[in-house]
Each structure stands twice: as C-alpha cells, then as structure tokens.
Amino acid sequence: MQKYDLAIVGSGIGGALIGALNKDKKHILFEKDSNLGGCASTFKRYGNYYNTGATTFVGYEDNHIIKDIFDKMGYSPDIEESKVAIRTIQNKKVVDRVRDFEHFLSQMQEYYPNKNNRIFWEKIKNIDERFWQVKNIHFAKYSLKSYIKSLLTFKDMIRTFEMDLFKSADSFIKETLGDISQEYKNFIDAQLLITVQSRSKDVSLLSMALGLSYPFHKVFYVNNGMGTIIEDILKDVNVHKNEEIFKIKRKEDYYLIDSSKGEYQAKNIVLNTTIYDSKNLFDEKIKSYYEKFEFSDQSAFTLYLSIDSKKEFLEHYQIILKDEIPNCISNSFFISFSKLSDDKLSQNGYSVTISTHTKVSTWKLLSKDRYKKQKELTENFILGHFLDYFDSINKEQITKTFSATSATFQRFIGRQNCGGKAINIKSILKTPTCTTPFKGLYNVGDTIFAGQGWPGVALGASILNKELNEEF
Ligand SMILES: Cc1cc2nc3c(=O)[nH]c(=O)nc-3n(C[C@H](O)[C@H](O)[C@H](O)COP(=O)(O)OP(=O)(O)OC[C@H]3O[C@@H](n4cnc5c(N)ncnc54)[C@H](O)[C@@H]3O)c2cc1C
C-alpha cells in the first residue's frame, strides 16, 4: 500500500493551493472529476469550453493574499485586468463598478442619489483597505497555540476597527444613508449575494464592506478559463484525477483511505470536501464531529451559452430585475462573457456563464420529469431577460444553451451547497476552521473560515498551511 505524509481530497481552490504549497512533501491529491478546480474549473461540452462557476479573479495585487501565495510559488497567471469590474443594470440605471472612486461615486449620485453617498462608500472602501492590511490573520481551534494566535488576531481586529467590528450592515446603512429606496437596497443586496452569499440584513458591516469593495480592487479576466490557474499550480503536484475518495478510517497514527481505485495510507489529510459532505467519508466519532455543522441550503443555478457574435461586450454584467427568478432566491443574475481574443474559450463564439442563487431543497425531491420542466422554466426566464437587455444579440445567434442546478453540482463535484454562511460576531465561534479535534485531519475550502471566492478560500488555505507546517 502506498504511504504518504499528506493526502488532499479535492482540487478546488483550497485543495489546489495546499497541494501546490506542499509539493516538497510526500503527498497525493485526489480529484473525483475529470476537470481540476471544482467551482473554479473550466469544462468542455459540445466542443466548447465554459467556466463552471468562478469567472472573476480578484486579489492578485501587492499586499494581497493571492499575490503573496503565487509569488511564493514563483507563478504568475495569464490574466488581464478588466476596465469595468461589473456593469450593474437595474430599471435602465447603469452603474459601472470601476476602480476610480470619484467616477463610481458620480454614477451613484446620478442613479441612487443620497446626501451621504460619499460618507457611506468611503467608509466601505476604507474598512476593506484596513482589513487587507491586518497581517497574520489566524482563526483555528483545538490547540493552545491556535487559540492564542486567534485571540491575537481578534485583538488586532478590535484595534483596527474598534466598535465597527460589532456593527451590523443594516444599522450602518440606516445610520449613514437613512431609509433608502428598495432599488438602492436591491443594488447593495445583489452585490452582496454574489460576494458573501447573503443580503445586508444578515451580515456584519465588515462582511458588507469586503463584499461591496471587490470592484475597488483589480479584477482580472483569466485567459483560457479559470481552470487554467488550477491546472498550472498543480503541474508538479501528484494529482490523481477521476479518483473519488469513498471512506477514510482513523488508525493509530495514520489514516486509511479507500478510493474508487485503491487503498492508501496518509499521516495527514486535508479535506477540500464541504464541511457538510465530509461526514459521508467517516464513521462514528469523526462522522459525528462533522454532523454538528448545520447544512446551508444555498446553492447556484448556472446557465451556459455559446453566442455567435463579433460585437464587443464587457466581461461582467449584473441584471437586477423587479421579480424573483422562478425556482431561485434572487431577483438578479450575473453574466460573464469570454473575451473574443481568448483562443480557447471563444473558439466558437462567446462562451457565457450566467449564475444566480437557488436552494438545494428546490431541486432535491422533484421527479425526473418535474425537475426537467422546472429547470427549463428557470432557464427560459433568465434567457428571456438576457435577450431583453442585450438587444444586439438575437436568439438565433445563441448556438448552445444548457444549465446546472444544485443536483448537477452534486453529480460532478460532490457538493449540493454552493457558498458559505455569513460570518458575523454571533456566528464566528460556530464557524468551522481548518483544524479539527482529530490529529492530522484538516479542512480547506469555502465552507470553512474565511469563506468563499479566491480571496476567502486563499486566506483559509494560508492559515491551514501555517498549521500544517508546525506538524511537519
Ligand atoms: C456559480 C458560482 C460563481 C462563482 N463566481 C466566483 C467568481 O467569479 N470569483 C470567485 O473568486 N469566486 C466565485 N465563486 C466562488 C468560488 O468558485 C468558490 O468559493 C471556490 O471555487 C470554492 O473552492 P473550494 O476550495 O471550496 O473547492 P470546491 O470548488 O468545492 O472543490 C472541491 C473539489 O473536491 C472534489 N471532491 C469532492 N468530493 C470528493 C471526493 N470524495 N473525492 C475526490 N474529490 C472530491 C470536487 O470534485 C471538487 O473539484 C463562485 C461560485 C459559484 C458556485
């Protein structure tokens, strides 16, 4: 039986970063799918390539976690900065999220006027800037050293943010902007749904600031698809693709791993499975540890299009509608176009990924027939509104259309839930961390601290890497 010091289950952003940072160890990384990257993968269907979920790449700038990690690896990704991070359209009100603060603010004043817009948005930007200046953020449990490091982080956070750390997003909105219109609220909430997977009523001021500020950072387009970054960083990693882990048993001083292709031993295991799915890998004690984490029912509905057009589009748009999308929990959808200059993604016209939010329970118990009908209903609704807004595209130019629900995500990457839970001062102690009560067993990914997207998962991976390096 092959023996390893480190086994990683999953090649999502978290698993891939840990693999790349530890390739000098005796390691192995298992990925059940044929594509690497999970939600951040790129797949081929009907002869065309599509980004599965993640399309925007943020955090590759000085003093930022992703650049720090990639510099350490000696890797520079093939990326291009987007001039407009996202164009948000609501009732013909068009706001381009650009890095130039004054330009952004003048659009806000035109479409969402408020005498305190400057105060509000300056504070949001300032909180985000200060957060990324806090060094050595640590959050882990189950050992004295981890608790001490976490307490020191908490102390730094209080010193940096003072009472703002304890404020809710809603109270800050009220105290600065007053009673804002439903449209303004929708504008804020639509952005928060794609970044922190929650609306302003459920998050802290800090989470809102981080969620609303991503377009003030450099936002990049990844040439040849998001999955290329994952494939690149895993180049020298011992990756076993198309190999699913079924069971893991804890032995005296190692773990016994049972996969679709064989058995392995490893002293340390990093799970890139979600905190809700990890329970399925274990029996008894470890299973009951994972069972304590209450399932988050949130997931994604994604629509993939190929469009035969030579007209120029921005890379990202967000359309906010009056009504909720059928079978979804949002009234907005996010659209990402490939660049025409991208030889891989745009080889047969534009490759488009559209995403919105849904619930796992909406799709779970449907009969095959009803599932198909409901999926078509959602698909056609989004497509209809997409064509309304992009009147330079006609239906005949759309050469391929297909979609994915939480059930599709389950089939390909073993997760129904997509997106973490909102972190606030009340929920922080219940938030899972990279360490577990079991020696040698660790977690990484968007359902554990610090949350989802490239910056959130990378922050979690860097904390885990510090913990791991104390082990080796
Ligand atoms: C629709 C959508 C749009 C998004 N857009 C963006 C965006 O634009 N920018 C951004 O930064 N973030 C975005 N995100 C969030 C981001 O994609 C995720 O937070 C991130 O990719 C999750 O990474 P992860 O490490 O949790 O791994 P996951 O993506 O969950 O990957 C886990 C991997 O583990 C594998 N696996 C699971 N079980 C097993 C097993 N038993 N054996 C072997 N392998 C297994 C899976 O196949 C998968 O490859 C988006 C997410 C979604 C769903």
Side-chain angles (χ1 to χ4, degrees):
M1 194 184 305
Q2 296 168 62
K3 295 178 182 170
Y4 295 92
D5 289 329
L6 175 64
I8 302 158
V9 182
S11 71
I13 295 176
L17 288 174
I18 290 300
L21 288 167
N22 292 283
K23 55 189 174 203
D24 56 324
K25 321 241 155 61
K26 194 156 188 255
H27 72 277
I28 185 165
L29 184 151
F30 301 99
E31 170 51 58
K32 80 186 267 295
D33 194 32
S34 54
N35 299 297
L36 299 176
C39 296
S41 60
T42 301
F43 65 95
K44 191 176 185 184
R45 191 154 176 207
Y46 307 124
N48 304 322
Y49 288 92
Y50 304 91
N51 281 325
T52 303
T55 52
T56 53
F57 182 57
V58 194
Y60 191 73
E61 57 195 42
D62 288 339
N63 286 323
H64 242 270
I65 189 84
I66 310 218
K67 180 132 190 336
D68 286 355
I69 294 179
F70 282 6
D71 285 353
K72 215 181 272 172
M73 289 174 189
Y75 171 61
S76 48
D78 181 5
I79 52 179
E80 287 174 58
E81 190 180 342
S82 299
K83 285 195 189 79
V84 175
I86 168 171
R87 173 167 289 170
T88 302
I89 307 165
Q90 178 173 208
N91 298 330
K92 301 205 165 62
K93 296 177 174 178
V94 179
V95 174
D96 281 351
R97 294 295 318 257
V98 283
R99 272 207 289 146
D100 180 337
F101 184 77
E102 293 304 324
H103 182 191
F104 163 67
L105 199 65
S106 68
Q107 297 172 71
M108 288 305 290
Q109 265 318 79
E110 185 176 350
Y111 293 119
Y112 302 94
N114 187 294
K115 67 177 180 2
N116 287 337
N117 263 340
R118 178 176 291 280
I119 297 173
F120 178 82
W121 287 97
E122 269 179 358
K123 177 97 177 192
I124 290 292
K125 188 167 183 288
N126 177 271
I127 290 178
D128 174 78
E129 280 166 3
R130 282 187 289 156
F131 178 82
W132 291 107
Q133 278 161 15
V134 178
K135 293 288 163 227
N136 297 320
I137 293 178
H138 205 89
F139 184 54
K141 300 178 194 168
Y142 311 113
S143 81
L144 187 60
K145 255 191 195 163
S146 305
Y147 283 118
I148 290 172
K149 283 188 196 166
S150 307
L151 272 175
L152 289 175
T153 296
F154 188 59
K155 210 175 111 207
D156 278 353
M157 298 294 260
I158 291 187
R159 203 171 36 209
T160 308
F161 298 111
E162 298 174 351
M163 289 319 283
D164 284 346
L165 190 62
F166 304 96
K167 254 187 203 152
S168 71
D170 251 5
S171 68
F172 179 67
I173 293 174
K174 224 175 163 81
E175 124 196 353
T176 48
L177 299 175
D179 286 321
I180 53 173
S181 65
Q182 192 56 46
E183 264 189 354
Y184 201 159
K185 215 168 176 43
N186 287 346
F187 176 86
I188 291 175
D189 283 347
Q191 286 256 325
L192 290 179
L193 267 176
I194 56 172
T195 48
V196 293
Q197 305 282 310
S198 311
R199 292 183 164 82
S200 51
K201 70 176 175 44
D202 298 317
V203 297
S204 63
L205 169 58
L206 176 60
S207 292
M208 175 167 77
L210 298 177
L212 291 181
S213 288
Y214 94 89
F216 293 135
H217 292 272
K218 291 183 180 175
V219 171
F220 294 98
Y221 176 86
V222 181
N223 283 316
N224 302 312
M226 189 60 83
T228 308
I229 295 189
I230 307 284
E231 283 160 23
D232 285 350
I233 64 175
L234 287 177
K235 226 168 237 161
D236 304 320
V237 173
N238 178 23
V239 174
H240 282 214
K241 262 196 213 179
N242 297 310
E243 185 162 352
E244 181 170 357
I245 302 306
F246 292 139
K247 277 282 168 217
I248 301 176
K249 278 201 186 90
R250 192 175 179 216
K251 298 283 177 187
E252 202 107 297
D253 59 349
Y254 67 90
Y255 289 88
L256 188 65
I257 304 166
D258 178 19
S259 88
S260 51
K261 295 191 179 164
E263 276 192 345
Y264 306 82
Q265 277 186 24
K267 280 198 183 126
N268 297 284
I269 306 242
V270 170
L271 299 176
N272 192 203
T273 41
T274 75
I275 202 81
Y276 320 114
D277 294 296
S278 294
K279 65 174 182 283
N280 303 324
L281 298 173
F282 298 94
D283 294 317
E284 297 162 3
K285 230 172 153 183
I286 303 185
K287 189 184 188 70
S288 56
Y289 162 72
Y290 281 110
E291 274 173 345
K292 335 193 271 261
F293 298 102
E294 197 190 332
F295 183 65
S296 159
D297 192 27
Q298 192 145 313
S299 194
F301 185 95
T302 43
L303 178 61
Y304 305 97
L305 309 175
S306 283
I307 303 177
D308 183 13
S309 168
K310 290 275 174 275
K311 204 178 173 305
E312 284 286 331
F313 297 102
L314 297 175
E315 281 96 67
H316 309 287
Y317 297 82
Q318 184 177 44
I319 311 276
I320 306 173
L321 305 169
K322 282 207 170 70
D323 301 318
E324 281 214 343
I325 300 166
N327 297 314
C328 293
I329 50 166
S330 171
N331 60 347
S332 66
F333 55 93
F334 185 73
I335 304 158
S336 294
F337 284 82
S338 59
K339 270 179 173 297
L340 279 182
S341 56
D342 187 326
D343 292 339
K344 185 172 168 185
L345 259 70
S346 301
Q347 58 180 316
N348 297 313
Y350 281 108
S351 163
V352 176
T353 299
I354 302 180
S355 59
T356 186
H357 298 83
T358 186
K359 282 189 169 191
V360 173
S361 49
T362 303
W363 306 97
K364 207 172 176 177
L365 298 172
L366 300 181
S367 66
K368 216 172 162 186
D369 199 35
R370 209 160 150 66
Y371 173 83
K372 198 167 161 241
K373 279 201 183 113
Q374 293 305 314
K375 201 165 164 235
E376 270 170 20
L377 174 75
T378 307
E379 208 174 290
N380 290 335
F381 181 91
I382 295 174
L383 197 56
H385 283 280
F386 172 84
L387 288 168
D388 276 355
Y389 279 97
F390 293 94
D391 50 15
S392 64
I393 298 172
N394 61 53
K395 216 172 172 184
E396 289 66 46
Q397 287 173 290
I398 302 184
T399 53
K400 284 283 172 280
T401 311
F402 59 97
S403 60
T405 69
S406 48
T408 325
F409 279 91
Q410 168 71 44
R411 183 148 48 98
F412 287 98
I413 60 166
R415 65 184 292 176
Q416 301 191 74
N417 146 281
C418 285
K421 283 186 180 169
I423 299 179
N424 53 41
I425 214 79
K426 276 189 228 145
S427 67
I428 187 83
L429 288 178
K430 285 191 198 151
T431 303
T433 66
C434 59
T435 44
T436 72
F438 309 99
K439 190 171 159 44
L441 183 64
Y442 302 91
N443 306 306
V444 75
D446 64 5
T447 56
I448 69 140
F449 183 84
Q452 74 142 19
W454 271 100
V457 178
L459 184 53
S462 84
I463 296 171
L464 169 57
N465 209 45
K466 283 181 200 146
E467 293 276 338
L468 270 178
N469 279 319
E470 298 206 340
E471 239 351 89
F472 283 100

